[in-house]
Amino acid sequence: MTGNTRIAVLAATFAAAGAPALAQTQVQWWHAMGGELGEKVEEIAAGFNEAQDAYEIVPVYKGNYTENMTAAIAAFRSGEHPHIVQVFEVGTATMMAAEGAIRPVHQIMGDDWNADAYLPAVKSYYVDTEGQLLSLPFNSSSPVMWYNRTLLEENGIEVPTTWDDMFAAAETLQANGHECAFSFGWQSWVMIENYLAWHDQPMGTMANGFGGLGTELVIDEHPEHAALLQRIADSQESGAFKYGGRRGDSLPLFTSGECAMWMNSSAYYAGISAQAEFEFGQTMLPRNAAVADAPQNSIIGGATLWVLAGHADEEYDGVAEFFTYLSSPEVQADWHQSTGYVPITTAAYELSEEQGFYEENPGTDVAIEQLSLNEPTENSRGVRFGNFVQIRDVINEELEGLWSGDQSASEALAGAQARGNALLREFEEANAN
């Protein structure tokens, strides 16, 4: 049964249950999913709209994550805001601090809603101090290492598991005439946030910000990390590493076959499947053997759906109905299998397993395995920093200074830490009670 057929069957099931023949109540959903992902969002909304007659979900693309969040904040101030806005994980602290602007999901969904149905590794990132979900997990992912299976096998290279393996693979590839061994995107998320979690090292004090507003960055306090980043920067001279941009800009370096390996979100599955003309695979992130004998766990990225305050009660009833539909095993399994985002519920994961998806597509469960590898620690639960959108910009600027040769890795991390902590103090001052 195809993904479209599954959603159609689910829609028919909902419709068969009966729905009041009333004028439809519109619910606006602002999102940041472009291209193939945007088409999938439209498909989900259409499935819900066909399943019942009481509500109409209206999805509206508002640009990338930053643009979408900025647009929603501006719209709220003018009183023209949507009901639902998709916000990436780095905006969590900002949304939590917006008192009076949000309606927590656990309040929207009511007493019959089972919040425990959501995967612990996904749910834990978006709960308040009492363990109540604030926003609905939607597109959650984790960075993995994509690799050109054809190229590695042709050169007799086993899939690397450590950073030493990565550089050894680079030497073998270059000896055989292939220059670029690896690249990565979303470098703050992959090479700072997830690297530190993967090795059970803190990015900040106070449980990486989960403990309160007084957190401070400590990214300049891990010498082995600085040494690795410097080694990566130095490898540019031979062409082993190529930097291709802050977000997903470096994807063509991998799909064209130019770089043999690429570290970025598991959610690039659809794009890589469509573009790569070689056999590819995905595996866990490489480990720095100088730091840890075994990896801890990776942390999620992606986004959740926040509900904004200021609308009529019947419209929030529509939000709750849609969130129930969106979280159903059939819809979530289809979304997961089509995009590479992890399933947000245990039932969706189990359904994908029953359907044979992981057996037919080896490696598509790597992100789930990484997230669930060990019980998260204070260092690996995730990060919750105020002004984190701006802090990521600062980290990007400092790392780009490293890649361009303008400064050392130690200088880049020290600069990012000092500038990031200044932004944390600004957020603390603005949100102190």
Side-chain angles (χ1 to χ4, degrees):
M1 184 182 294
T2 66
N4 289 346
T5 304
R6 284 196 296 272
I7 289 183
V9 169
L10 183 67
T13 301
F14 270 70
L22 303 174
Q24 287 185 316
T25 298
Q26 282 199 347
V27 175
Q28 293 277 330
W29 173 19
W30 288 9
H31 67 87
M33 303 275 91
E36 295 171 342
L37 294 176
E39 293 175 4
K40 206 66 188 169
V41 164
E42 295 283 347
E43 181 183 309
I44 291 172
F48 174 75
N49 292 339
E50 292 169 5
Q52 45 71 56
D53 298 324
Y55 309 102
E56 180 188 9
I57 289 290
V58 182
V60 181
Y61 174 66
K62 285 288 183 176
N64 63 34
Y65 284 135
T66 303
E67 293 165 344
N68 188 46
M69 183 175 174
T70 301
I73 292 172
F76 187 83
R77 290 170 179 162
S78 67
E80 300 292 334
H81 53 287
H83 303 79
I84 305 168
V85 60
Q86 182 187 27
V87 178
F88 56 164
E89 86 283 9
V90 298
T92 300
T94 299
M95 297 299 288
M96 288 179 65
E99 294 184 9
I102 66 167
R103 290 279 302 269
V105 164
H106 67 88
Q107 293 180 8
I108 294 290
M109 300 303 290
D111 296 336
D112 294 335
W113 180 54
N114 180 20
D116 291 334
Y118 298 85
L119 289 174
V122 174
K123 175 186 172 184
S124 64
Y125 199 103
Y126 302 105
V127 296
D128 61 16
T129 54
E130 297 178 354
Q132 299 273 31
L133 260 177
L134 297 170
S135 57
L136 185 81
F138 174 48
N139 57 305
S140 296
S141 62
S142 195
V144 298
M145 188 171 79
W146 299 92
Y147 61 92
N148 185 326
R149 186 192 307 275
T150 302
L151 185 61
L152 294 190
E153 289 181 352
E154 287 176 351
N155 287 273
I157 299 172
E158 293 188 5
V159 179
T161 60
T162 70
W163 275 99
D164 286 336
D165 293 341
M166 295 285 287
F167 289 105
E171 291 181 3
T172 299
L173 287 168
Q174 291 189 328
N176 293 334
H178 188 94
E179 185 176 79
C180 180
F182 63 91
S183 184
F184 43 69
W186 286 96
Q187 57 186 344
S188 174
W189 183 49
V190 176
M191 294 304 301
I192 304 291
E193 300 155 42
N194 266 281
Y195 170 89
L196 293 173
W198 197 231
H199 296 86
D200 200 16
Q201 295 182 315
M203 183 176 178
T205 60
M206 300 179 67
N208 284 344
F210 276 77
L213 296 177
T215 182
E216 294 186 349
L217 299 178
V218 293
I219 57 178
D220 187 31
E221 300 180 16
H222 309 292
E224 297 90 351
H225 187 201
L228 174 61
L229 291 174
Q230 189 63 58
R231 188 179 181 187
I232 292 171
D234 293 343
S235 74
Q236 291 178 113
E237 185 174 350
S238 69
F241 164 66
K242 290 189 177 180
Y243 176 63
R246 295 185 177 185
R247 295 179 179 244
D249 318 62
S250 52
L251 174 62
L253 290 176
F254 179 68
T255 55
S256 67
E258 182 175 355
C259 294
M261 293 167 284
W262 188 59
M263 282 158 276
N264 211 330
S265 172
S266 60
Y268 283 96
Y269 176 74
I272 293 174
S273 297
Q275 298 173 38
E277 297 183 355
F278 49 81
E279 293 293 323
F280 65 86
Q282 52 182 308
T283 190
M284 292 189 182
L285 296 170
R287 172 177 52 87
N288 188 346
V291 177
D293 294 330
Q296 171 56 39
N297 63 273
S298 61
I299 59 178
I300 64 171
T304 54
L305 304 183
W306 290 80
V307 182
L308 299 183
H311 295 288
D313 289 344
E314 61 267 23
E315 294 169 7
Y316 290 118
D317 291 341
V319 171
E321 289 286 339
F322 175 60
F323 281 0
T324 299
Y325 175 84
L326 185 64
S327 300
S328 63
E330 293 83 356
V331 173
Q332 272 302 309
D334 177 64
W335 171 253
H336 159 57
Q337 294 175 27
S338 300
T339 65
Y341 285 112
V342 300
I344 62 172
T345 65
T346 302
Y349 171 72
E350 291 174 347
L351 178 58
S352 295
E353 196 168 34
E354 291 171 9
Q355 293 170 340
F357 178 70
Y358 305 123
E359 184 176 351
E360 295 172 9
N361 301 274
T364 49
D365 56 350
V366 166
I368 304 168
E369 292 178 3
Q370 281 190 166
L371 289 166
S372 308
L373 198 58
N374 292 292
E375 185 72 23
T377 68
E378 286 192 349
N379 298 329
S380 68
R381 178 184 179 185
V383 293
R384 186 176 286 175
F385 301 124
N387 282 337
F388 199 25
V389 176
Q390 296 93 320
I391 290 172
R392 268 194 177 170
D393 287 340
V394 162
I395 291 173
N396 281 326
E397 290 171 5
E398 296 291 343
L399 286 178
E400 286 171 345
L402 168 62
W403 310 139
S404 66
D406 293 334
Q407 61 183 345
S408 68
S410 295
E411 290 169 335
L413 293 175
Q417 178 168 305
R419 295 172 63 193
N421 281 334
L423 288 166
L424 286 174
R425 299 290 71 79
E426 289 179 11
F427 186 82
E428 182 180 15
E429 182 178 350
N431 293 279
N433 293 323

